[in-house]
Amino acid sequence: MSKTLANLRDDLSIKLGDYLHQTVTTALAANNNLVDTLLANVEGGTTDNFCKNWWVLVTSEGNDGEIRRVSTYTASTKTIVTLGAAWSSDGADLATYELHKHHPTKKLQSINIAARKSELWADVWDLTLVSNNALPNSSFDWFAVSTVPYKYALSNATASKQTSGGYFRGGEAGVIVTASAGNGYLYITSESNRRLLDLQGQTIDFECWVRPSKVDDVAIVIYTLQADGTEQTLTSTGSTPAQKWTKLQLLQQDINPALDKIEFRFKITTNAENVRLDNVRVLGDTVTSYLLPETFKDGVVTSMRLQTYGSGTWNRPADDIGYNFHYEDVYGWEVVSDGTDRYLNTPTLPDGHLIELRGSTPLNDTLSADTDTMDIESEKTEYLIAMAARELYMEIHAGNASYANTRESSDRYEEVIVRLDGEIAWLKSKFGKLRTSQMRVRY
């Protein structure tokens, strides 16, 4: 299962005895005051300055994500005064906030360090590769930036990742592309993906699942430019109903030889209309090297199997819906790197079959936003949080504690660290082989 950074920070705060979630009772204004009459109900809340030098983290409304240190607390008015910049005014909206003895950013760093040092790896089952598909990241699961799928680009269009049910057809995501001018498009080009030039002189099938906002408003296009300046543009003509998934195809297309450039485009005719795209493929050439899915970017592939047949309902075995497929082991594969990306090299395979990859990948150790996730099952979280608490206390003990209000002695921190060491050792023995729950990436 997945846990967000906000979930993990809560778990760590509880572990540290440092968990306090509240909602202001007076909306934050353009000053340094935070008023919450319900602080009277928390431990210490009736004592002046009980939270002096603690940290306020706002978790909603206009100041979401802002962190301020507590200067004073007045028990009679339940008012916290913070240091630094004034809050932005929230009007009448009441923000949620957290109070931390230790800086929230230090908690984040401790969680990431613990994930990096732990032996917790997520098991991965991936079904996003399709045999002999020349297009990388063809399920649009991989977004290196939030505005465009990895390896793709935009012309007179914008894009974003789609993870809601019904709005992607395979894998764990899809992409929605919105035209910012007529005939805007998402595309992949050989200028930044040189391997696509291997398609020159070949007869290929180009296909894509589309879901346009407007009927018959989307097309797939193959564009080529030869070294002598000759251009070729091949455009699909299939009907595409609005808000329904349809498979567009350009079948048996002869690609010119001696190419300087080839591009595969996903075009929207009307400005401001959009289309959702998923499961794109270019088949026909013999492909024996595939960009590894993002789930294996830092991980290990342990087995490869190939879908042996399908129902044929959608022309390709890989288009079948369901999981009751028959697979056979593939041997003679290897994972290689070109210094930037990692690739799966395989023997020659038949067209249009799902490739099943199994393996494992490290935990996400680059959490930054509260919504960032880590794939870890609940009982293993206890181990990770104990390690994160140890990292935090080690930093305090080392003297880097300017972010925390602490008068505890060095001996006290040593006692806590020793206790955590024992707990970590016990949890490790309890779980044996430290693995997280399986991460399934569907086709």
Side-chain angles (χ1 to χ4, degrees):
M1 63 177 295
S2 293
K3 283 214 166 191
T4 65
L5 170 58
N7 297 150
L8 294 170
R9 186 177 62 240
D10 285 350
D11 291 341
L12 179 56
S13 296
I14 292 169
K15 183 76 173 178
L16 300 170
D18 187 11
Y19 181 80
L20 186 58
H21 284 215
Q22 297 282 117
T23 300
V24 298
T25 51
T26 299
L28 293 175
N31 54 41
N32 290 83
N33 296 339
L34 184 153
V35 180
D36 177 10
T37 57
L38 296 181
L39 283 171
N41 300 326
V42 306
E43 184 178 358
T46 57
T47 303
D48 285 347
N49 292 329
F50 87 98
C51 56
K52 181 179 175 64
N53 288 332
W54 290 16
W55 299 90
V56 174
L57 167 63
V58 179
T59 54
S60 71
E61 309 308 331
N63 295 278
D64 188 13
E66 292 294 324
I67 300 173
R68 300 283 190 275
R69 196 168 192 175
V70 176
S71 173
T72 61
Y73 170 71
T74 304
S76 60
T77 60
K78 311 302 180 290
T79 301
I80 291 172
V81 178
T82 58
L83 298 169
W87 305 112
S88 298
S89 175
D90 278 340
D93 297 324
L94 300 180
T96 56
Y97 71 96
E98 301 171 6
L99 271 177
H100 296 264
K101 295 178 184 177
H102 305 292
H103 198 299
T105 301
K106 292 297 181 181
K107 292 182 178 179
L108 161 64
Q109 292 169 350
S110 297
I111 291 168
N112 281 333
I113 292 170
R116 201 169 304 133
K117 289 183 176 181
S118 77
E119 299 174 57
L120 296 167
W121 279 48
D123 292 330
V124 180
W125 176 28
D126 187 282
L127 286 169
T128 59
L129 294 183
V130 172
S131 57
N132 280 339
N133 182 11
L135 295 185
N137 190 24
S138 61
S139 65
F140 298 126
D141 278 18
W142 189 345
F143 278 64
V145 296
S146 62
T147 54
V148 64
Y150 188 52
K151 297 294 184 179
Y152 293 76
L154 295 162
S155 176
N156 292 321
T158 60
S160 63
K161 192 172 187 177
Q162 293 286 282
T163 57
S164 299
Y167 291 129
F168 63 96
R169 196 179 186 278
E172 295 295 313
V175 62
I176 182 171
V177 183
T178 303
S180 53
N183 296 319
Y185 55 90
L186 175 79
Y187 69 103
I188 185 168
T189 176
S190 61
E191 291 188 325
S192 53
N193 298 272
R194 302 299 291 172
R195 293 172 178 232
L196 295 179
L197 290 175
D198 290 341
L199 299 171
Q200 57 191 318
Q202 304 288 328
T203 300
I204 64 170
D205 295 340
F206 177 30
E207 51 193 40
C208 174
W209 285 90
V210 302
R211 183 178 174 136
S213 58
K214 181 181 178 182
V215 64
D216 295 340
D217 200 51
V218 60
I220 57 175
V221 178
I222 304 172
Y223 168 81
T224 63
L225 175 66
Q226 290 180 278
D228 64 3
T230 301
E231 294 179 293
Q232 180 187 51
T233 302
L234 305 167
T235 304
S236 66
T237 57
S239 178
T240 54
Q243 303 299 344
K244 303 291 184 183
W245 283 107
T246 305
K247 187 178 180 181
L248 277 181
Q249 294 178 298
L250 273 169
L251 301 178
Q252 295 297 292
Q253 302 298 304
D254 295 323
I255 304 303
N256 285 335
L259 292 185
D260 181 63
K261 178 168 68 174
I262 182 170
E263 291 182 354
F264 296 92
R265 300 172 178 174
F266 310 89
K267 185 184 70 171
I268 306 165
T269 304
T270 307
N271 180 30
E273 296 293 340
N274 65 64
V275 62
R276 291 176 170 87
L277 307 169
D278 212 345
N279 291 355
V280 302
R281 301 175 196 129
V282 170
L283 303 168
D285 189 21
T286 298
V287 177
T288 57
S289 187
Y290 305 84
L291 177 72
L292 269 182
E294 184 185 20
T295 49
F296 286 108
K297 182 168 63 74
D298 299 311
V300 176
V301 179
T302 57
S303 72
M304 173 186 170
R305 298 197 303 166
L306 185 70
Q307 179 190 12
T308 54
Y309 59 84
S311 69
T313 303
W314 301 103
N315 302 345
R316 310 284 183 192
D319 285 320
D320 284 358
I321 303 296
Y323 299 105
N324 297 319
F325 299 133
H326 185 264
Y327 293 89
E328 289 186 355
D329 291 326
V330 176
Y331 301 98
W333 57 269
E334 64 176 347
V335 174
V336 299
S337 173
D338 66 1
T340 301
D341 293 307
R342 301 176 75 208
Y343 291 86
L344 176 74
N345 288 350
T346 73
T348 301
L349 303 171
D351 282 354
H353 293 246
L354 293 173
I355 294 174
E356 180 200 75
L357 299 179
R358 291 180 184 262
S360 56
T361 189
L363 292 181
N364 181 0
D365 61 4
T366 59
L367 300 176
S368 58
D370 274 7
T371 53
D372 287 349
T373 59
M374 181 183 292
D375 288 286
I376 182 171
E377 58 192 66
S378 296
E379 61 266 32
K380 303 295 176 63
T381 304
E382 190 178 356
Y383 175 84
L384 178 75
I385 293 304
M387 289 192 66
R390 186 185 190 281
E391 290 297 327
L392 187 63
Y393 278 120
M394 282 294 291
E395 180 164 357
I396 297 170
H397 182 54
N400 299 319
S402 59
Y403 57 85
N405 174 31
T406 176
R407 297 185 180 130
E408 296 177 87
S409 67
S410 177
D411 289 345
R412 168 60 179 154
Y413 285 119
E414 288 179 358
E415 290 174 6
V416 173
I417 292 167
V418 168
R419 177 177 59 78
L420 286 169
D421 283 338
E423 182 178 350
I424 290 166
W426 177 77
L427 288 169
K428 186 173 181 179
S429 66
K430 173 185 174 183
F431 295 130
K433 184 181 180 183
L434 291 171
R435 292 282 185 178
T436 65
S437 58
Q438 186 176 83
M439 180 196 309
R440 177 189 298 179
V441 184
R442 302 184 297 259
Y443 69 99

